[in-house]
Amino acid sequence: MINSSPSPLVHIETFGCQMNESDSELVRALLKGEGFSFTQDRERADVLLLNTCAIRENAHQKIYAQLAELTEWKKQRPLVIGVLGCMAQNLKGELAEQEPLIDILVGPDGYRRLPTLLAHALAAQEQGFAQRGFALDLSEYETYEGILPDRDQGVNAWITVMRGCDNFCSFCVVPYTRGRERSRPPESVLTEARDVAARGFTQITLLGQNVNSYRYGDWDFARLISAVADTPGIHRVRFTSPHPKDFPPALLQAIATHPKICKHIHLPLQSGSDRILELMGRTYSSADYLALVDRIRSTIPNVTLTTDIICGFCSESDDDFWETQRVMEQVQFESAYIFKYSERKHTIAARKYRDDVPEQTKGARVATLVEIQRGISRERNRRYIGKQVEILVERDATKSPTQGMGRTDGNLTVVWEKGSEPFTPGTLITKYIFDASAATLYGK
Ligand code: SAH
Ligand code: SF4
Ligand code: F3S
């Protein structure tokens, strides 16, 4: 398909969640299959792709800052610029109009068209004009079945098992950027699991915006994750992100009993106030959530629970906020991602409610929860002091190359002095924990 030679060099940068990381691996596979090559060095690239996120306004801002810089680059040399992913899908024509330097806009369901669109843009550029290309239709069926992602080497392999989301939480843009929920056939997931094991990955993380609502014929998520965890050579299987509505007993049993399925559940709470949860369209009350936490903890002893919380959603009062603090204190999460509410175009909240909590109040509430959570995380982590933990070795610690870094089954970060002992990423080792902070366990 590509006739301009030598093969064009592509550089891709990824923003946002693991789904985007996984999609970038897919994009690499699709483009390499059509004769494109990749470079890590964006200065050398003929094509620059930004795989973008739209979840909060600061995600958009990051991309606008990149585009401002690239406007200067493009004045100096030929360059094809493509914006992929959720922001492309969310803003569509508006983004193309505002940012004339963009040649290509492709949403999460349009990646099969990317090689052709890039080839046309490059051919046009060679002849001295610009040809813009867009692939922004969402699909009810696209799962990219049959394409083996071009993965970064490492310990963990992401496997996307379902795409899209049908929940329409009122604050969230994902249903508009990623479209309707659809699951991949289990055979194709299992083939991919065997493939990554053969390539030396020892951990798999199953991905989906709503991963536990996976459904394909008789296969539900409990059956799928158990089958993936049976893959020879794989030490650990994780999953993200689940929704609290989809935790049938069979799934909790599978997590509790399968030795390879990690005892960690990321369970987004969003708010502890029933009034706000109702406005958010989360479909559970704080009591439902707490009952689920009890069910999880009684079925899976020593499970790690983490969460997401939004502060300052439309009309959130001090009392509502206090309810969130109460639930946080009660559950005692190992860690929490805490966000300021950011109004998103198209969403139910943008259409129906007023974003009326002042920025400053949102910020103060986030700071309060971060502080509370830091104390809780520290307490939770200190319970490991004096214990042996099993760690999957990942890499050198960020702070010092003399230290190794890995994670427990519950996804807690451990660092230790490597010394003279063998250090092999991807293997399981045991360490004795002698100290702990809010973010890290220290082993020896
Ligand atoms: N599908 C995942 C979450 C995707 S987004 C799930 O349902 O768990 C990750 C987190 O971003 C959400 O859990 C939520 O806490 C936060 N988030 C989503 N939309 C947001 C918004 N408009 N403003 C602030 N935070 C938001
Ligand atoms: Fe967004 Fe809700 Fe879907 Fe998660 S479940 S992606 S928060 S709409
Ligand atoms: Fe962002 Fe899209 Fe992921 S909006 S969080 S990249 S699904």
Side-chain angles (χ1 to χ4, degrees):
M1 182 186 308
I2 312 296
N3 40 32
S4 59
S5 56
S7 82
L9 269 182
V10 184
H11 175 80
I12 185 163
E13 284 180 28
T14 308
F15 302 81
C17 65
Q18 290 97 339
M19 286 290 284
N20 260 16
E21 296 289 343
S22 171
D23 280 358
S24 288
E25 297 178 341
L26 206 66
V27 164
R28 277 212 302 260
L30 281 161
L31 288 174
K32 283 186 177 174
E34 298 289 343
F36 289 86
S37 307
F38 278 77
T39 172
Q40 302 275 10
D41 179 2
R42 70 188 223 160
E43 313 245 346
R44 287 179 57 219
D46 306 303
V47 175
L48 230 150
L49 301 176
L50 304 177
N51 191 3
T52 62
C53 171
I55 202 81
R56 285 169 289 274
E57 191 51 32
N58 58 5
H60 279 192
Q61 294 309 333
K62 270 188 208 161
I63 302 302
Y64 286 125
Q66 292 273 326
L67 291 173
E69 191 188 336
L70 294 177
T71 304
E72 293 309 309
W73 283 35
K74 214 172 161 166
K75 285 180 191 154
Q76 281 149 34
R77 65 179 179 91
L79 185 62
V80 167
I81 294 179
V83 176
L84 318 182
C86 290
M87 183 174 169
Q89 190 67 47
N90 192 32
L91 299 183
K92 299 183 185 163
E94 190 183 321
L95 189 60
E97 246 168 64
Q98 280 170 8
E99 302 281 350
L101 82 159
I102 297 174
D103 300 290
I104 307 283
L105 275 182
V106 181
D109 286 344
Y111 297 140
R112 288 185 199 264
R113 289 192 48 211
L114 187 57
T116 312
L117 295 178
L118 284 180
H120 288 163
L122 283 159
Q125 191 176 65
E126 228 162 76
Q127 290 166 32
F129 65 98
Q131 182 174 342
R132 301 183 108 183
F134 304 130
L136 294 165
D137 288 333
L138 287 170
S139 157
E140 287 177 35
Y141 309 103
E142 181 61 273
T143 59
Y144 297 104
E145 202 195 332
I147 300 164
L148 218 49
D150 181 60
R151 296 190 155 83
D152 284 328
Q153 262 316 314
V155 170
N156 179 73
W158 311 107
I159 300 185
T160 300
V161 303
M162 56 84 67
R163 301 180 70 89
C165 179
D166 286 349
N167 286 345
F168 289 91
C169 302
S170 67
F171 53 80
C172 183
V173 77
V174 170
Y176 308 89
T177 66
R178 290 188 168 268
R180 300 289 55 77
E181 246 174 67
R182 64 218 99 122
S183 295
R184 270 178 65 189
E187 311 81 64
S188 95
V189 174
L190 294 171
T191 304
E192 209 172 310
R194 286 189 292 270
D195 177 79
V196 301
R199 287 166 196 261
F201 292 93
T202 57
Q203 175 175 281
I204 289 173
T205 305
L206 301 182
L207 285 181
Q209 281 308 332
N210 224 325
V211 71
N212 54 339
S213 74
Y214 177 89
R215 163 97 17 216
Y216 198 95
D218 308 334
W219 286 70
D220 64 1
F221 188 63
R223 187 168 169 202
L224 182 76
I225 194 170
S226 303
V228 169
D230 287 338
T231 308
I234 294 298
H235 295 323
R236 287 180 174 176
V237 178
R238 303 186 180 279
F239 61 100
T240 199
S241 291
H243 189 288
K245 74 180 166 54
D246 294 309
F247 277 100
L251 178 54
L252 296 185
Q253 273 308 323
I255 301 169
T257 53
H258 200 300
K260 304 277 174 79
I261 303 179
C262 290
K263 277 65 184 151
H264 167 215
I265 299 181
H266 184 68
L267 196 67
L269 167 66
Q270 313 300 4
S271 169
S273 151
D274 289 342
R275 193 182 67 83
I276 296 293
L277 285 169
E278 174 81 39
L279 291 181
M280 286 177 162
R282 288 293 289 180
T283 72
Y284 52 84
S285 64
S286 59
D288 296 334
Y289 185 95
L290 289 168
L292 174 60
V293 167
D294 282 347
R295 250 188 332 117
I296 292 173
R297 287 211 168 117
S298 59
T299 318
I300 315 166
N302 293 322
V303 66
T304 298
L305 290 179
T306 57
T307 200
D308 292 343
I309 291 173
I310 297 176
C311 292
F313 184 67
C314 310
S315 82
E316 185 186 75
S317 66
D318 286 342
D319 283 349
D320 293 316
F321 178 61
W322 189 83
E323 290 292 321
T324 303
Q325 286 182 53
R326 192 181 58 87
V327 175
M328 259 180 94
E329 302 265 15
Q330 194 166 337
V331 176
Q332 301 271 304
F333 297 104
E334 259 71 19
S335 67
Y337 293 98
I338 299 162
F339 307 107
K340 273 200 260 186
Y341 172 59
S342 168
E343 185 176 272
R344 308 318 290 143
K345 227 182 213 106
H346 310 305
T347 57
I348 298 164
R351 283 179 274 136
K352 282 177 58 179
Y353 313 131
R354 275 186 48 221
D355 179 14
D356 55 0
V357 177
E359 240 348 79
Q360 219 187 342
T361 310
K362 289 180 185 174
R365 287 179 184 168
V366 168
T368 304
L369 294 193
V370 166
E371 206 40 54
I372 292 175
Q373 184 57 47
R374 186 171 299 138
I376 297 173
S377 297
R378 192 168 167 277
E379 280 310 302
R380 301 287 297 173
N381 284 351
R382 290 187 71 80
R383 302 191 317 171
Y384 287 89
I385 294 176
K387 295 198 173 128
Q388 305 271 0
V389 295
E390 191 178 52
I391 302 163
L392 184 67
V393 178
E394 283 192 16
R395 53 178 169 77
D396 288 349
T398 325
K399 284 188 186 150
S400 157
T402 67
Q403 291 180 329
M405 175 269 172
R407 277 172 222 270
T408 68
D409 175 285
N411 212 31
L412 303 171
T413 301
V414 187
V415 301
W416 64 94
E417 282 300 329
K418 286 191 284 191
S420 55
E421 62 195 70
F423 180 77
T424 318
T427 55
L428 292 168
I429 59 168
T430 301
K431 290 278 165 197
Y432 169 86
I433 302 303
F434 68 93
D435 198 5
S437 69
T440 313
L441 309 182
Y442 300 93
K444 63 180 179 190

